[in-house]
Amino acid sequence: MTPELEDLFAFLSFPSVSTDPKHKGDLEDCARWLMQKLSGMGLHTLCHETERHPIVVAKNEHDPSKKTVLIYGHYDVQPADPLNLWHSPPFAPEIRDGKIWARGATDNKGQMLAHILGIEKTLAEKGELPVNIILLFEGEEEIGSPNLAPFLKQHLDYLKCDIIAISDTGMVAPNTGTLGYGLRGIACAEVKITGPARDLHSGLFGGAVANPATAAAQLVASLHLPDGTVAIEGFYDDVRPLEAWEREMWAKVPGVKDEDFLKVTGSPALFGEPGYSSAERTWARPTAEVNGIGGGYQGEGSKTVLPAEAFVKFSLRLVPDQDPQTVLKQLQTHLEKHCPPGVKLEVELGHDGKPYACDPHSDFGKAAQRALKATFPGEPMLIREGGSIPIVQAFQDILGVDTLLLGLALADAQIHSPNENFPIANFDAGIKLNQALLEELAK
Ligand code: BES
Ligand code: ZN
């Protein structure tokens, strides 16, 4: 195994699941491993404790005549369950079919380590970097980065930079340079619906008492019109329309045609807001999704019960210029208005992150495109992203700096799903890309 793959295997073996308090020690161990790697490369490295998981920062010796590039990544991962669907254990990485299989392989440890190893390689080859570098790695991205924005505000001087680069987004097709210039925002909420004081016999009481599971279903059904548009009042008010040049450009992007969406998702058919392609629906249109719904009997066979409670978890994906707080209030009003009689509704608003968009044709955007061209065949694809990285708009708001998204995640990487994977080819290309990127950004 190459030393690069050995590093990646070590990094992937920490079960750094940020949402689960029982993994707190694993996040700390993972942060410590990262610190050792970075200080071993001769970088000045610091660990900042937070209420949840540590933030790791590192810098080379800065030269005031050089540009400063901040590179962000996250070492936390999503939970690995359902475990029985994995072909190999999620935290015991394995190579099969030219890919590395493990939780975090693509999102984000593989992509993040490619940045680090690109820097290590340039340092080994040239003895110095063409730019001043600030590395900023957190362990809370998958839980909405609650402690990172406060950290930015407290360390404005330390984090002063000209541009930010992140590899934590998509590559539209294998071996295809992809520059992301936008991300959807996110707003989460959860509702609890309660009815009778305990589960009841559905024969003795059904018909006389409202059923919380039925109420949950009614609320969920009220969110969309039959054609797939979101029915929350005011939801589309601040949505920035797609530009003609984007639609034209995206129509030529490989790997994101409707038939590709069908293939990669395994769905029987596509469905969504009329008048938009699948790429447009996911990159530039907002949505309201139900992430989980439950209540009542879930076991084998039937049980004639009228459940005492039910719950629904929602996440809304937002686009410029929607504001997460405004939209959450609209959602709350909608739920209260549509809740049927006879049950009690509790709405708990969760974490959120703003949507992001920048100009891919800026000087730094052009430098990123040159780096992509030097690494991959053909012209780079310019896209927006359906996923969210909540801190990116906060970088713009707090540090006043734009972010270049240099994605290496393929559509079949199965991020957040069982059998997450990262092709060795993407890992190797990522290392080269990051070397080229720093060269181009320096110009
Ligand atoms: N790396 C992803 C986001 C992503 C993936 C963007 C692929 C574009 C293409 C990130 O780690 C992620 O999963 N973010 C969460 C954020 C949330 C939990 C606050 C998301 O989008 O669900
Ligand atoms: Zn993720």
Side-chain angles (χ1 to χ4, degrees), residues 336-405:
E336 283 161 2
K337 187 169 148 199
H338 287 83
C339 187
V343 294
K344 209 173 115 211
L345 173 74
E346 286 166 69
V347 183
E348 196 185 319
L349 303 183
H351 65 77
D352 64 58
K354 289 186 191 170
Y356 176 72
C358 70
D359 173 15
H361 306 296
S362 66
D363 286 347
F364 285 126
K366 283 188 197 136
Q369 291 184 47
R370 289 196 301 275
L372 287 161
K373 237 179 130 163
T375 314
F376 299 103
E379 287 297 320
M381 296 294 136
L382 311 186
I383 67 163
R384 291 203 247 158
E385 287 287 1
S388 308
I389 307 177
I391 203 62
V392 171
Q393 183 56 41
F395 283 145
Q396 175 55 255
D397 291 340
I398 299 168
L399 304 178
V401 181
D402 272 338
T403 297
L404 305 165
L405 301 161

Side-chain angles (χ1 to χ4, degrees), residues 307-324:
E309 58 180 45
F311 73 88
V312 189
K313 291 174 188 269
F314 302 99
S315 62
L316 312 174
R317 295 284 169 170
L318 311 178
V319 300
D321 297 305
Q322 286 178 298
D323 171 57

Side-chain angles (χ1 to χ4, degrees), residues 74-282:
H74 64 94
Y75 65 87
D76 64 322
V77 298
Q78 288 270 330
D81 62 276
L83 287 177
N84 61 322
L85 295 183
W86 286 78
H87 300 312
S88 54
F91 300 106
E94 241 183 64
I95 294 176
R96 296 190 305 273
D97 309 327
K99 299 174 178 184
I100 304 133
W101 301 80
R103 169 57 85 233
T106 284
D107 183 10
N108 174 231
K109 288 173 174 171
Q111 298 189 74
M112 176 181 145
L113 191 64
H115 274 297
I116 297 174
L117 297 179
I119 291 169
E120 184 177 45
K121 208 157 166 220
T122 301
L123 283 172
E125 287 166 3
K126 308 211 161 138
E128 61 169 3
L129 298 175
V131 295
N132 302 324
I133 199 94
I134 305 173
L135 301 177
L136 173 63
F137 300 131
E138 71 159 322
E140 300 183 342
E141 194 272 348
E142 301 289 6
I143 51 171
S145 302
N147 290 298
L148 194 55
F151 178 82
L152 300 183
K153 287 179 193 149
Q154 284 157 16
H155 298 85
L156 289 178
D157 233 29
Y158 184 88
L159 298 171
K160 222 164 176 247
C161 59
D162 299 296
I163 188 71
I164 297 170
I166 302 180
S167 289
D168 190 23
T169 51
M171 172 184 272
V172 289
N175 210 18
T176 308
T178 307
L179 176 65
Y181 63 94
L183 290 158
R184 285 200 288 189
I186 189 165
C188 299
E190 196 171 330
V191 302
K192 194 170 151 192
I193 299 152
T194 46
R198 74 199 88 85
D199 287 3
L200 301 174
H201 188 296
S202 63
L204 268 58
F205 297 103
V209 173
N211 184 322
T214 306
Q218 285 171 317
L219 280 182
V220 166
S222 76
L223 278 184
H224 296 90
L225 300 179
D227 71 358
T229 52
V230 177
I232 301 170
E233 207 178 316
F235 186 70
Y236 290 98
D237 285 359
D238 299 322
V239 170
R240 199 190 294 175
L242 263 150
E243 305 257 357
W245 63 268
E246 293 182 291
R247 303 191 86 166
E248 214 173 289
M249 185 171 71
W250 292 352
K252 296 184 204 121
V253 175
V256 295
K257 304 268 178 287
D258 286 353
E259 60 263 30
D260 298 306
F261 273 78
L262 265 181
K263 203 168 134 219
V264 86
T265 60
S267 298
L270 298 172
F271 176 70
E273 206 186 348
Y276 297 96
S277 68
S278 296
E280 290 168 348
R281 285 171 179 164
T282 54

